[in-house]
């Protein structure tokens, strides 16, 4: 690091000590300490008379910034950036007009600016008056705002668009009048619900519903539930739940953003295909012919084909959706976990398919005939018991994967 005036270098790192007692802090992960946690994003505001001391810290190689905003959207915001420039750091105020590059402003309004870079952690601090009447782009600190914290890359001193969603506080805060210790979220609540509902629909309800319809007709051949066979009622309940969850989840991103997103890659296109096929399935089911009809095989193949294509496309959409900026689950954990779920379902499907094949070919039937002499009840129900055990284990594992994903979404 080149020799620079001592006033520009921080002599020691920042600490979370005093957060919530004598300074306002925004931290991610919640309750992290920049002095101990290298992955901690930290912004603090400490009022000192008519000025505000601000500290920023985060594991970045390009720039670290925070903004004061009147809403949850970028645009018309008061921004402050710490930008790496070779071996030095530039600390600048800026103003953001719409979703464009920030307009850098004069540093005359900032005092006692200092910085340090150590072990990949960028830290900077400065002091600013509570009010600057001569510069309307510098928002007064004694009003309430949403606080954004963003980071990204720099190209020859030019700030590039952040690659992931900024950290945004859940509500507006007045940092000059309160000393709170808050966190934030990098994923909007509606997008979290979108992801959670799609996971539930296409990881849980549809998967269990397909297995029940495919392998459990012989298990409950005569048992009824509300006037219909048990397997059919369970299948219908799970599939209707899948459609309803898909429809609601499909609408949520449009409610949040208000228009089509051009930055989400192929995910929204695949989502539209899944939505169309999910809505088409119950329409096809309404027109299913009687079991004795000569058209029944055509219905069976159409129903199976539409559902299979929908599931395949849904899995592809989920893989892509996990890396969409608004719901960016941690890499590579999300991919490995999703692959594990797919393999879990494939293994259960193959196991039940092999079991069903063996029963049809008579290998298990011969064993049942020999056992029936000793215990007819056991022989009659042994195959059904095996399927029930596999289904139970599968559902438990399925819920374990689902809960893991939902917990990860909640942490965003």
């Amino acid at each position: 690091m080149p020799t620079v005036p001592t006033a520009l270098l921080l002599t020691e790192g920042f600490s979370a000590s005093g957060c919530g007692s004598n300074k306002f802090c925004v931290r991610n992960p919640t309750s992290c300490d920049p002095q101990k946690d290298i992955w901690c994003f930290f912004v603090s505001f400490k009022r000192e008379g008519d000025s505000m001391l601000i500290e920023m810290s985060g594991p970045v190689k390009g720039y670290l910034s925070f903004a004061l905003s009147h809403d949850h959207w970028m645009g018309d915001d008061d921004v402050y950036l710490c930008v790496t420039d070779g071996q030095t750091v530039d600390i600048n105020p800026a103003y953001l007009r719409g979703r464009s590059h920030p307009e850098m402003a004069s540093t005359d309004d900032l005092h006692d600016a200092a910085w340090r870079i150590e072990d990949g952690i960028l830290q900077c601090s400065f002091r600013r008056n509570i009010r600057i009447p001569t510069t309307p782009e510098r928002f007064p600190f004694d009003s309430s705002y949403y606080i954004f914290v963003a980071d990204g890359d720099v190209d020859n001193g030019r700030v590039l668009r952040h690659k992931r969603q900024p950290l945004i506080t859940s509500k507006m805060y007045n940092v000059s009048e309160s000393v709170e210790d808050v966190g934030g979220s990098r994923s909007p609540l509606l997008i979290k619900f979108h992801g959670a509902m799609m996971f539930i629909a296409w990881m849980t309800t549809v998967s269990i519903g397909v297995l029940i319809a495919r392998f459990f007709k012989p298990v409950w051949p005569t048992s009824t539930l509300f006037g219909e066979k048990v397997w059919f009622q369970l299948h219908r309940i799970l599939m209707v739940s899948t459609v309803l969850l898909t429809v609601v989840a499909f609408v949520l991103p449009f409610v949040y953003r208000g228009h089509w997103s051009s930055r989400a890659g192929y995910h929204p296109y695949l989502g539209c295909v899944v939505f169309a096929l999910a809505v088409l399935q119950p329409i096809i089911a309404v027109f299913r012919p009687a079991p004795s009809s000569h058209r029944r095989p055509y219905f069976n193949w159409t129903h199976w084909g539409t559902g299979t294509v929908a599931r395949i496309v849904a899995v592809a959409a989920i893989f892509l959706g996990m890396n969409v900026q608004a719901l960016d689950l941690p890499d590579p954990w999300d991919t490995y976990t999703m692959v594990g779920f797919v393999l879990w379902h494939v293994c259960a499907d193959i196991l039940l398919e092999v079991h069903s094949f063996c029963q049809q070919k008579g290998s298990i039937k011969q064993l049942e005939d020999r056992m029936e002499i000793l215990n007819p009840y056991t022989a009659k129900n042994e195959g059904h018991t095996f399927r029930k055990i596999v289904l139970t284990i599968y559902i438990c594992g399925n819920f374990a994967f689902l809960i893991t994903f939902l917990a990860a979404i909640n942490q965003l």
Side-chain angles (χ1 to χ4, degrees):
M1 188 170 295
T3 302
V4 296
T6 306
L8 296 179
L9 287 177
L10 289 167
T11 57
E12 60 181 13
F14 301 145
S15 169
S17 176
C19 287
S21 58
N22 61 11
K23 62 183 178 181
F24 186 102
C25 297
V26 180
R27 297 193 271 175
N28 180 254
T30 305
S31 301
C32 68
D33 190 337
Q35 197 172 40
K36 303 174 182 178
D37 185 358
I38 62 173
W39 301 109
C40 183
F41 284 87
F42 174 85
V43 179
S44 70
F45 303 84
K46 185 177 181 180
R47 182 163 187 169
E48 298 178 346
D50 293 330
S51 66
M52 184 76 71
L53 175 64
I54 298 167
E55 299 174 338
M56 284 192 285
S57 175
V60 300
K61 297 181 179 179
Y63 71 90
L64 178 64
S65 67
F66 81 89
L68 305 177
S69 179
H70 297 288
D71 52 37
H72 280 101
W73 298 98
M74 291 179 60
D76 301 324
D77 302 328
D78 184 13
V79 184
Y80 300 85
L81 304 102
C82 298
V83 184
T84 59
D85 185 11
Q87 296 295 319
T88 63
V89 175
D90 296 326
I91 303 175
N92 291 96
Y95 189 73
L96 198 61
R97 300 183 190 277
R99 302 176 68 83
S100 60
H101 288 282
E103 301 173 3
M104 297 299 181
S106 171
T107 59
D108 293 342
D109 295 327
L110 307 185
H111 311 283
D112 302 333
W115 59 271
R116 74 194 294 255
I117 300 177
E118 184 174 329
D119 298 329
I121 308 298
L122 170 61
Q123 295 186 334
C124 59
S125 67
F126 60 89
R127 193 183 307 275
R128 205 211 81 174
N129 291 339
I130 300 294
R131 285 181 169 272
I132 307 178
T134 57
T135 311
E137 289 83 6
R138 303 282 76 79
F139 295 173
F141 280 131
D142 54 2
S143 297
S144 296
Y145 308 98
Y146 290 101
I147 302 173
F148 287 52
V149 180
D151 64 285
D153 296 329
V154 176
D155 182 19
N156 294 324
R158 181 178 172 84
V159 172
L160 302 181
R161 186 179 187 275
H162 45 79
K163 294 182 178 179
R164 60 174 177 170
Q165 193 85 354
L167 181 75
I168 307 174
T169 56
S170 60
K171 64 179 184 178
M172 303 174 79
Y173 292 97
N174 186 329
V175 296
S176 68
E177 295 184 358
S178 61
V179 284
E180 299 187 47
D181 186 8
V182 304
S185 175
R186 295 188 182 275
S187 180
L189 184 60
L190 289 179
I191 301 301
K192 286 185 177 182
F193 275 113
H194 167 79
M197 294 173 77
M198 285 301 193
F199 272 123
I200 294 172
W202 295 97
M203 286 181 61
T204 303
T205 57
V206 76
S207 300
I208 298 173
V210 167
L211 291 183
I212 288 176
R214 176 70 181 87
F215 300 106
F216 285 81
K217 295 177 183 178
V219 176
W220 303 293
T222 58
S223 302
T224 60
L225 180 64
F226 301 114
E228 296 282 357
K229 292 182 178 180
V230 170
W231 73 266
F232 179 75
Q233 288 286 41
L234 293 176
H235 174 73
R236 181 161 60 181
I237 291 171
L238 290 168
M239 291 309 181
V240 169
S241 299
T242 299
V243 174
L244 294 176
L245 287 168
T246 301
V247 170
V248 175
F250 180 81
V251 173
L252 293 180
F254 293 99
V255 174
Y256 165 70
R257 191 166 292 278
H259 57 80
W260 182 269
S261 174
S262 60
R263 297 183 180 274
Y266 291 105
H267 174 74
Y269 297 97
L270 296 181
C272 289
V273 174
V274 172
F275 172 77
L277 294 176
V279 173
L280 182 62
Q281 274 291 70
I283 296 175
I284 295 175
V286 169
F287 295 98
R288 70 183 184 277
S292 58
S293 172
H294 69 278
R295 296 192 302 270
R296 186 64 179 230
Y298 299 105
F299 163 78
N300 290 340
W301 281 106
T302 303
H303 191 60
W304 175 84
T306 304
T308 300
V309 172
R311 293 171 65 202
I312 293 173
V313 177
V315 170
I318 288 175
F319 270 107
L320 295 177
M322 292 187 300
N323 293 318
V324 171
Q325 189 180 79
L327 189 72
D328 190 10
L329 293 175
D331 292 320
W333 170 89
D334 55 351
T335 301
Y336 294 151
T337 306
M338 190 62 192
V339 169
F341 163 74
V342 173
L343 293 177
W344 178 256
H345 178 78
V346 170
C347 289
D349 207 332
I350 292 175
L351 186 59
L352 290 171
E353 195 69 56
V354 170
H355 179 264
S356 179
F357 177 80
C358 292
Q359 281 189 317
Q360 291 175 358
K361 291 299 182 179
S363 58
I364 295 181
K365 184 67 172 62
Q366 294 176 2
L367 176 61
E368 290 177 350
D369 291 340
R370 290 195 297 269
M371 294 180 64
E372 192 170 357
I373 300 175
L374 299 175
N375 192 336
Y377 180 81
T378 303
K380 182 178 179 180
N381 293 279
E382 183 178 343
H384 297 168
T385 301
F386 176 80
R387 295 189 184 194
K388 291 178 181 178
I389 292 174
V390 172
L391 180 64
T392 302
I393 295 174
Y394 171 77
I395 291 175
C396 291
N398 188 291
F399 273 93
F401 279 107
L402 178 64
I403 291 172
T404 301
F405 274 111
L406 296 182
I409 292 175
N410 185 57
Q411 292 298 318
L412 295 177

